[in-house]
Amino acid sequence: MLTQQSQSRLSYALLVLGILLIASNLRAPVTGLAPVLDQIILSFNLSASQAGMLTTLPLIAFALASPLATSLAKRQGLEVSLFIALILIGLGLASRMIDSVPVLYLGTAVIGVGIAIGNVLLPSLIKRDFAHKVAVMTSAYVLAMGIFGGSYSALIIPLAEYKQIGWQIALASYALITLISLFIWLPQLKLRTKPTKDLVENTGDVKVWRQALAWQITLLLGCNSLFTYIIIGWLPSILIDSGHSAQQAGALQGSFQVASALPGIILIPLLAKLKDQRVLTFVLGVLASLSSIGLLYMPDYASVWSITMGFCSGACFILGLSFISLRTHDSHQAAALSGMAQCIGYLLAATGPIIAGALHSYFGNWASTLWFCAGASALCAVFGYLGGRNITMRNKA
């Protein structure tokens, strides 16, 4: 009896650890590029727009691969599909050792496909295995994403400079974390469970695209993603141009990412008590907008602006996701709204790093990019105020 209990506890512990390790692979392999982006530009003689494409490629992969994730899970099961996601991420990371521009782009796209599969399927796994602890587990895995992503961004410059191993080995080294994740996830492969019903149900007949509230929530998430991925992709370059060292810039980008994970700890229990989230979302959007302007005109306080932007970005993201559940009548309508928000959100986010790079190339500075970020966050405040009203969508369009 005791042996069975011990095995059960070990299995539970391995599952939780496996989920957290999978989460640790869902941000850092992409965001780790930003601190060494200037080195990549110099190594391959890339333009700012071409460099921005490195941040954009994973987002395009997210949009294209998300439907693939559901189909894969229906055929292979959640556990095997998540294992495949880790393999793709690991292969993409290993490819960064190859001194080739096309391989760098291809490897980044492969990482994006792996991350997309993980992003789509991990919440379904949590909903199935932790039905009464969804909020706790969601907060834990979002926090893991932020901590690993932030730590990697802060450490990658010192790592690249250690014995002059260079940015390629520094980027590829994260594959060690992926390898450990694969090993820890191996016991789950004996299971081949299907994704939860809300992930696979047909939402084609739910006309959310015609409803104003659906667009308000979608544009809240979309504008927030647009702002977030510009900052993730270009913040180190912006900080270096304003007088910070490469190590300081990497550390500050890391603080942005860690700060973006912290709202989950605060907001998830708070949301259960708040019926109306208008003022909260509006204030967060305005703070993010002011922080972008602060970064432009008061760069000496970059640590304050980076942490504030990260916190506001993460909080708006969590609020937007919560609105998908709070403003819909059932899981069928929620799944349709989620699909709409994901589609528009990734498309908007994908344009961000390229637009930011193009603005920098045209004007020769980052002022236009930071004003663009401030505008995107201001729109978050507007759409967040509208989407935060205590109302629900119509059952039929």
Side-chain angles (χ1 to χ4, degrees):
M1 187 72 172
L2 286 173
T3 305
Q4 286 181 340
Q5 286 182 343
S6 299
Q7 287 178 340
S8 177
R9 287 174 184 171
L10 179 61
S11 298
Y12 183 83
L14 283 174
L15 176 60
V16 172
L17 181 60
I19 287 171
L20 295 179
L21 282 171
I22 289 172
S24 74
N25 287 274
L26 299 183
R27 180 174 291 177
V30 171
T31 58
L33 280 167
V36 294
L37 200 55
D38 285 346
Q39 295 179 37
I40 296 172
I41 290 170
L42 287 173
S43 296
F44 294 122
N45 196 27
L46 302 177
S47 68
S49 296
Q50 288 172 326
M53 180 59 75
L54 283 173
T55 307
T56 296
L57 267 175
L59 301 172
I60 296 171
F62 293 170
L64 297 177
S66 294
L68 169 70
T70 304
S71 300
L72 182 66
K74 284 196 285 188
R75 292 178 184 175
Q76 301 295 331
L78 286 170
E79 294 80 8
V80 174
S81 298
L82 288 166
F83 192 77
I84 291 170
L86 289 172
I87 289 173
L88 291 172
I89 293 168
L91 289 173
L93 287 165
S95 74
R96 288 173 170 171
M97 293 288 292
I98 301 171
D99 193 18
S100 164
V101 174
V103 172
L104 177 63
Y105 280 99
L106 178 61
T108 302
V110 169
I111 288 171
V113 173
I115 291 175
I117 294 170
N119 277 336
V120 171
L121 300 184
L122 203 56
S124 187
L125 183 81
I126 288 171
K127 188 171 183 178
R128 185 202 70 196
D129 290 343
F130 301 90
H132 301 295
K133 297 180 180 178
V134 171
V136 173
M137 285 301 297
T138 300
S139 297
Y141 97 73
V142 170
L143 189 60
M145 286 169 62
I147 289 172
F148 275 85
S151 301
Y152 186 47
S153 292
L155 293 172
I156 193 164
I157 294 292
L159 182 60
E161 292 176 350
Y162 178 71
K163 295 187 176 180
Q164 296 184 328
I165 65 172
W167 63 265
Q168 287 176 288
I169 295 176
L171 284 176
S173 66
Y174 202 84
L176 292 172
I177 301 291
T178 310
L179 193 62
I180 293 169
S181 306
L182 283 164
F183 177 75
I184 296 296
W185 195 249
L186 279 173
Q188 310 304 326
L189 297 186
K190 61 188 176 184
L191 304 171
R192 285 175 175 258
T193 50
K194 302 303 178 187
T196 50
K197 186 178 177 182
D198 62 313
L199 189 66
V200 299
E201 63 186 347
N202 178 27
T203 58
D205 58 335
V206 182
K207 305 297 191 296
V208 295
W209 293 78
R210 299 178 184 177
Q211 301 200 40
L213 182 57
W215 278 103
Q216 290 155 11
I217 294 167
T218 294
L219 291 172
L220 163 64
L221 285 165
C223 290
N224 187 61
S225 295
L226 177 68
F227 157 77
T228 299
Y229 279 95
I230 290 175
I231 296 299
I232 285 174
W234 289 111
L235 181 60
S237 298
I238 293 169
L239 292 169
I240 289 168
D241 273 17
S242 67
H244 294 79
S245 69
Q247 286 194 22
Q248 288 173 327
L252 288 170
Q253 200 231 27
S255 69
F256 171 88
Q257 292 185 63
V258 173
S260 71
L262 295 177
I265 301 170
I266 302 166
L267 284 182
I268 288 177
L270 182 64
L271 283 171
K273 300 175 182 178
L274 284 177
K275 290 184 178 180
D276 188 305
Q277 298 84 23
R278 285 179 296 177
V279 175
L280 176 61
T281 317
F282 182 82
V283 168
L284 288 164
V286 169
L287 277 175
S289 183
L290 292 175
S291 296
S292 295
I293 297 168
L295 193 60
L296 175 61
Y297 291 107
M298 291 182 280
D300 290 344
Y301 297 95
S303 58
V304 175
W305 310 131
S306 298
I307 291 169
T308 304
M309 285 191 297
F311 186 89
C312 293
S313 166
C316 286
F317 178 67
I318 289 170
L319 284 163
L321 290 181
S322 301
F323 292 167
I324 290 173
S325 298
L326 293 171
R327 306 294 176 248
T328 52
H329 289 276
D330 52 44
S331 62
H332 198 53
Q333 195 178 51
L337 178 56
S338 178
M340 174 184 173
Q342 185 169 262
C343 175
I344 300 297
Y346 285 143
L347 286 174
L348 279 173
T351 64
I354 295 177
I355 291 173
L359 287 171
H360 177 261
S361 296
Y362 185 79
F363 291 103
N365 58 54
W366 292 108
S368 55
T369 296
L370 287 170
W371 275 108
F372 184 73
C373 287
S377 296
L379 288 174
C380 280
V382 173
F383 292 122
Y385 185 85
L386 294 170
R389 292 170 295 165
N390 186 24
I391 58 174
T392 55
M393 291 167 52
R394 300 188 305 275
N395 271 317
K396 294 182 180 180

